[in-house]
Amino acid sequence: MARRGRKRRLEVEAEYWRLLAAGVGSVEACRQLGIGRKTGYRWRAENGGLRPDYLPESSRSGRYLSLLERRRIAAMRERGLTIREIAGQLGRAPSTVSRELRRNSRPHDYGRYDADLAHHRCRERAGRPRRAKLATDPELKAEVQSKLDLEWSPEQIAAHLRTRWPDRPERHLCHETIYRALYQGARGGLNRTLTRKLRTGRPLRKKRRRPDQRMPRFVAPAVLIDHRPPVIELRERLGDWEGDLVVGVRSQSAVATLVDRRTRYLRLVPLPEGHSASQLRDALIAVLGQLPEHARRSLTWDQGSEMARHYELAPYFADGIFFARPGSPWQRGTNENTNGLLRQYLPKRTNLSLYTVDDLRSIEHRLNNRPRKTLSWQTPAQAFAAALAP
């Protein structure tokens, strides 16, 4: 006997996607809904990591049978009511009930009408799925796959197709079509393993948040860079610092960097025990205590969680601490450029906790005594010493 197939709980699935959209993790969402975590992983994998395009139950037209009506049909059929009696109870036409029983019952349903399974069958049919363009055009599919093998992005491939076949618009694709074909697997016409050729290499798509819609990172309000005193932009005074973390493999180790905007003088702050907010606070206080007061005017950092206790560092700076906008590293360009130089000595994908304090001091000395074109070929150490002089 044929299998009845898997019964989908559409309300539970819709609630699962709602929780994910609200920022709840997949495992926690499954726990709250009382389902296994593998069920949640399967729902995500089937749709490439993005919420399916199901119309919400509350938005569907009343001309279609609802899940509640189908459950009432099933209950009344179990009691032996006729089609006309069921239709009268529901306020529907007898033909509607008859058609529902005929369309959404299968020989392998053990001779009974299953309301949940019938509702799922109806919802799947309502989508009117059609074969993807890449699944119906082997030559187009081969062309897209060949460019993915060369690690082209979907947007580059979409532009290439318009150049390759300018007079055949049926072979023109937008980049989102290619992404969906990749992440929806067999339904989209491309092999899911080709996602490894994308720059991110993600097996599932990840919903991105707009920078202006992110949740506040800190409990204490952060002052954005827009409110920074204009004198800091001029680079005319000593003591306006920019900072960040240089992280190691899997973000399990880190070194903090402080760079003076005027002189490009670098201080490396070791974090051997970790880079939590309290650990960074203690390490920065130890370094800031070595600087004279007139060399501590302001600090600009990104909105990383390691600065959650920024209010405890603010008293060390005369003008306070300021934060760049999310996803805007160019607002701390001096620090970003210096970190790029630092990667020559602290390569990516290495364990930075293996570097001792003496190692970091040696690297700091090398960079601070390297002539810089922006300083008219002075070294940062020379410029910093001259600025410190009364």
Side-chain angles (χ1 to χ4, degrees), residues 284-296:
L284 287 179
I285 288 175
V287 173
L288 294 173
Q290 302 170 10
L291 298 173
E293 186 174 347
H294 70 279
R296 292 186 272 108

Side-chain angles (χ1 to χ4, degrees), residues 83-127:
I83 288 177
R84 289 189 177 274
E85 290 172 331
I86 295 173
Q89 294 280 344
L90 294 177
R92 296 279 190 175
S95 59
T96 299
V97 179
S98 175
R99 190 162 48 246
E100 169 66 20
L101 293 172
R102 184 176 67 254
R103 283 180 174 175
N104 294 321
S105 297
R106 297 289 184 273
H108 51 267
D109 285 347
Y110 306 122
R112 55 186 291 268
Y113 172 76
D114 189 318
D116 292 321
L117 195 54
H119 192 65
H120 173 62
R121 288 167 180 164
C122 175
R123 294 295 297 272
E124 281 193 327
R125 255 196 330 272

Side-chain angles (χ1 to χ4, degrees), residues 205-348:
R205 296 190 77 176
K206 183 177 180 181
K207 186 176 181 180
R208 299 185 66 180
R209 297 172 297 176
R210 290 176 52 181
D212 58 351
Q213 293 179 342
R214 297 184 180 184
M215 295 293 290
R217 181 66 62 97
F218 308 129
V219 175
V223 181
L224 289 180
I225 197 172
D226 304 343
H227 303 287
R228 197 167 65 172
V231 66
I232 299 178
E233 299 293 334
L234 302 177
R235 300 179 186 270
E236 292 179 348
R237 67 180 189 179
L238 182 69
D240 293 317
W241 299 85
E242 293 181 4
D244 194 13
L245 291 184
V246 174
V247 297
V249 60
R250 299 193 185 100
S251 298
Q252 293 180 353
S253 57
V255 173
T257 60
L258 290 172
V259 187
D260 179 62
R261 283 177 55 82
R262 176 185 171 184
T263 65
R264 275 65 170 186
Y265 187 76
L266 169 68
R267 289 303 309 266
L268 295 180
V269 183
L271 298 168
E273 303 300 326
H275 50 282
S276 67
S278 58
Q279 290 165 333
L280 178 67
R281 175 206 58 194
D282 295 341
L284 287 179
I285 288 175
V287 173
L288 294 173
Q290 302 170 10
L291 298 173
E293 186 174 347
H294 70 279
R296 292 186 272 108
R297 304 291 184 90
S298 70
L299 173 64
T300 304
W301 206 280
D302 66 10
Q303 295 192 32
S305 59
E306 69 277 0
M307 282 294 283
R309 308 186 75 158
H310 61 88
Y311 54 91
E312 298 180 23
L313 293 168
Y316 287 85
F317 298 94
D319 291 337
I321 298 178
F322 305 92
F323 291 90
R325 290 191 171 277
S328 304
W330 58 86
Q331 294 182 339
R332 303 169 13 267
T334 302
N335 183 254
E336 289 290 327
N337 290 335
T338 304
N339 288 350
L341 299 176
L342 188 59
R343 282 299 188 183
Q344 180 179 355
Y345 305 98
L346 303 177
K348 294 182 179 180

Side-chain angles (χ1 to χ4, degrees), residues 1-40:
M1 181 179 292
R3 294 177 67 246
R4 300 178 65 214
R6 187 171 55 236
K7 183 189 298 185
R8 297 195 83 118
R9 292 173 286 176
L10 296 178
E11 296 93 340
V12 177
E13 189 170 347
E15 182 64 15
Y16 169 79
W17 287 107
R18 189 195 66 77
L19 289 173
L20 291 191
V24 179
S26 180
V27 175
E28 175 62 19
C30 292
R31 189 193 65 78
Q32 292 184 22
L33 297 173
I35 60 177
R37 59 184 177 83
K38 289 187 177 180
T39 300

